[in-house]
Amino acid sequence: DTLKILAIMVNFQQDADGTTSGNGKFGSIYSQNYGNDILDPLPHDKNYFESHLHFVQNYFAKVSKGKLSIEYNVLPDTFSVTDRMRNYSPDPGSDDFTPIADFSVEAWTKADQLYPGFPFGDYDVFLIFHAGVGRDISLPGSIGNERDLPSVYLSDEAFKEIYGNDFEGIPVAGGSSKITNSLIIPETESREVE
């Protein structure tokens, strides 16, 4: 079998919010240039994300003994959604993922506008790489990441739980295709600590 992944790179509106990592733009999470001596060194661009997906491709080829082939495409341009990261982040401790689902809908709608005629229907999995760090790791004594986005997979079922059973997907390509899933993944899980 072949699984085709389509990825986009999404920024937020720039901010100076102490409850999120970085300022909403790719590459803004470090206060200095650490060169290549760290995990996930800058720049976090198309090549960087393609190398991560190449790892995924190799991993699944090996563990499936060649039965699962991964193909991927990262669209070339970064773009920004209309709000700051914190506004797409579920409240800490909340089970309401509506804000992050809204982020997904806005991101894919914007990608559709930027790439008219793109064959979204050729893909199985839809991945959003977003600026910043994920709200997935809480380091002892750390503060300041409570409004980062959690890394999540929004399945068709998850979208229906949020938007109702009539939700058929995010319409793209003039409505000829519908995006029914979305992976939300940060540019990195690396962060500075003092």
Side-chain angles (χ1 to χ4, degrees):
D1 287 334
T2 299
L3 188 72
K4 295 183 177 181
I5 301 172
L6 178 64
I8 54 177
M9 302 172 291
V10 180
N11 286 298
F12 303 94
Q13 292 302 308
Q14 191 164 328
D15 64 38
D17 189 331
T19 64
T20 61
S21 301
N23 67 11
K25 305 297 181 186
F26 283 107
S28 67
I29 58 167
Y30 303 130
S31 63
Q32 63 185 8
N33 183 347
Y34 292 99
N36 291 326
D37 295 334
I38 60 170
L39 292 175
D40 295 336
L42 297 175
H44 296 163
D45 56 10
K46 184 178 190 297
N47 290 334
Y48 167 82
F49 294 116
E50 285 177 335
S51 69
H52 281 63
L53 290 171
H54 186 70
F55 172 86
V56 170
Q57 183 182 55
N58 290 339
Y59 173 83
F60 281 103
K62 182 163 181 94
V63 299
S64 72
K65 297 184 178 11
K67 293 179 183 170
L68 178 61
S69 174
I70 303 286
E71 294 179 9
Y72 57 86
N73 183 9
V74 179
L75 293 180
D77 300 312
T78 62
F79 59 87
S80 297
V81 288
T82 58
D83 220 331
R84 299 176 303 155
M85 182 189 299
R86 73 171 294 119
N87 294 80
Y88 300 104
S89 180
D91 290 332
S94 171
D95 290 334
D96 181 6
F97 284 87
T98 303
I100 204 163
D102 292 346
F103 166 69
S104 178
V105 170
E106 182 180 346
W108 289 113
T109 300
K110 178 97 178 204
D112 183 42
Q113 293 165 355
L114 292 171
Y115 298 94
F118 186 83
F120 290 93
D122 291 352
Y123 295 87
D124 307 299
V125 176
F126 298 88
L127 195 161
I128 301 171
F129 289 117
H130 68 81
V133 175
R135 186 172 78 194
D136 310 310
I137 299 170
S138 187
L139 301 173
S142 69
I143 56 172
N145 71 335
E146 56 269 15
R147 299 308 293 205
D148 286 334
L149 298 187
S151 299
V152 297
Y153 172 66
L154 296 170
S155 64
D156 182 47
E157 182 178 298
F159 276 121
K160 286 181 192 266
E161 285 179 23
I162 293 166
Y163 295 126
N165 286 330
D166 292 339
F167 183 79
E168 297 179 349
I170 304 162
V172 289
S176 65
S177 293
K178 299 221 170 41
I179 293 174
T180 59
N181 66 73
S182 202
L183 282 156
I184 315 293
I185 305 290
E187 67 178 281
T188 186
E189 292 291 0
S190 297
R191 62 192 77 207
E192 291 179 323
V193 289
E194 293 182 21

